[in-house]
Amino acid sequence: RLMRWRWKTFWWVVVVCVTIIYGGRSIQRNTIWLNSETFLRTMVADSPRSWHAKNNLGNLLIKSGRWEEGKRLLMESYASFPDHAPLLDALGIVAEHEQRYEDAERFYIRAIKVRPHYATAFSNLGRMYFQLQRYDLAAPLYWSEFQYRARPDFMLVYAMSMSKLGRFNEAIATVTQYYGEYPDDERLQFALGFAYYKKGDKIKANEYFKTSKNPALNEEEFIKSIEKF
């Protein structure tokens, strides 16, 4: 017990001494940490050759809408380390923001090659394909990733893409094969309803829409939203 007390006393003295010696510096450092941007700018200033510091600051800036400065920092990082998956993904986001979709695609694909099944880059690439109505690219991308990670959100986008391509029977068959005729996931019920509706079987579609439709929309508004989709 005496030895245990002495060790506790020893470590308490060490903590107190360190606090006294470095207290001022810690307070100053804490003020920097309170502001992420200030902290990251300090990192860049202290280590101007650090691609990692520039990458982190660049990401923060594009997330806050300061695209030009963020892009500059990301490109400087890229010149130093071109095979960093999160950096490639961030450059894809910048290119997509600038509507340079071919460049965005290249960055996203490169990120996935560097880090196979990299979820962030995969999701951004798939979302971009879907938004650009490139369902022919979105469907196989989500299907291949579903084979690796059987997630319902991957199946959802795959099924919706297949329906948009007019391949309704394949969309229905694949969803029901993995999740049954009436999936627990309401999003997949919507995907089935959408496929049946576009196929022309509105009675069957309504079976799924009853549980998956947006309660904020009345029946007429909901049908209009389906027609526009």
Side-chain angles (χ1 to χ4, degrees):
R1 290 184 179 177
L2 180 60
M3 287 298 295
R4 186 180 300 174
W5 179 85
R6 286 177 178 174
W7 272 108
K8 287 183 178 179
T9 304
F10 169 75
W11 284 113
W12 176 250
V13 172
V14 170
V15 171
V16 171
C17 290
V18 170
T19 303
I20 292 172
I21 295 171
Y22 294 101
R25 186 177 300 176
S26 297
I27 293 171
Q28 182 180 6
R29 182 70 64 180
N30 287 338
T31 61
I32 295 173
W33 278 63
L34 287 174
N35 187 317
S36 298
E37 183 179 339
T38 302
F39 172 64
L40 291 174
R41 287 190 184 280
T42 301
M43 285 182 63
V44 173
D46 291 345
S47 305
R49 295 184 180 181
S50 171
W51 69 267
H52 189 66
K54 291 179 180 178
N55 172 60
N56 289 339
L57 179 57
N59 269 285
L60 180 69
L61 291 173
I62 66 171
K63 287 177 182 177
S64 61
R66 285 169 286 176
W67 294 94
E68 288 302 318
E69 186 182 5
K71 177 184 176 180
R72 177 180 60 79
L73 289 164
L74 292 172
M75 290 304 296
E76 290 178 10
S77 300
Y78 180 68
S80 300
F81 194 37
D83 287 332
H84 183 58
L87 172 58
L88 290 164
D89 178 68
L91 288 170
I93 292 171
V94 171
E96 188 179 351
H97 171 73
E98 296 175 344
Q99 299 183 355
R100 294 184 292 110
Y101 298 117
E102 290 184 0
D103 289 338
E105 181 183 40
R106 279 195 290 270
F107 280 124
Y108 291 143
I109 290 175
R110 179 60 184 163
I112 295 169
K113 287 182 178 179
V114 169
R115 186 186 296 180
H117 306 291
Y118 179 38
T120 306
F122 158 77
S123 296
N124 283 330
L125 178 61
R127 172 192 46 74
M128 184 180 75
Y129 282 156
F130 197 88
Q131 290 177 346
L132 293 176
Q133 300 182 11
R134 292 303 310 271
Y135 307 116
D136 57 318
L137 297 175
L141 179 69
Y142 276 94
W143 175 247
S144 65
E145 197 64 18
F146 181 81
Q147 301 305 300
Y148 178 71
R149 285 176 294 190
R151 288 174 38 174
D153 51 329
F154 294 169
M155 177 59 70
L156 169 68
V157 184
Y158 167 76
M160 295 296 290
S161 297
M162 293 295 281
S163 291
K164 294 295 288 184
L165 291 169
R167 298 165 66 177
F168 313 115
N169 290 335
E170 291 175 71
I172 293 167
T174 307
V175 173
T176 54
Q177 177 185 350
Y178 286 92
Y179 294 95
E181 187 177 1
Y182 295 97
D184 293 332
D185 193 308
E186 290 185 0
R187 298 171 301 174
L188 293 177
Q189 291 189 35
F190 175 84
L192 286 171
F194 182 80
Y196 277 112
Y197 188 90
K198 291 296 184 179
K199 186 181 176 182
D201 190 344
K202 296 182 180 180
I203 295 176
K204 186 68 174 179
N206 284 330
E207 291 182 19
Y208 297 101
F209 289 155
K210 286 178 182 178
T211 56
S212 62
K213 94 176 182 65
N214 186 344
L217 300 177
N218 60 39
E219 197 69 28
E220 183 179 353
E221 292 171 330
F222 180 72
I223 295 302
K224 284 182 179 179
S225 70
I226 296 297
E227 294 287 358
K228 289 180 180 178
F229 190 83

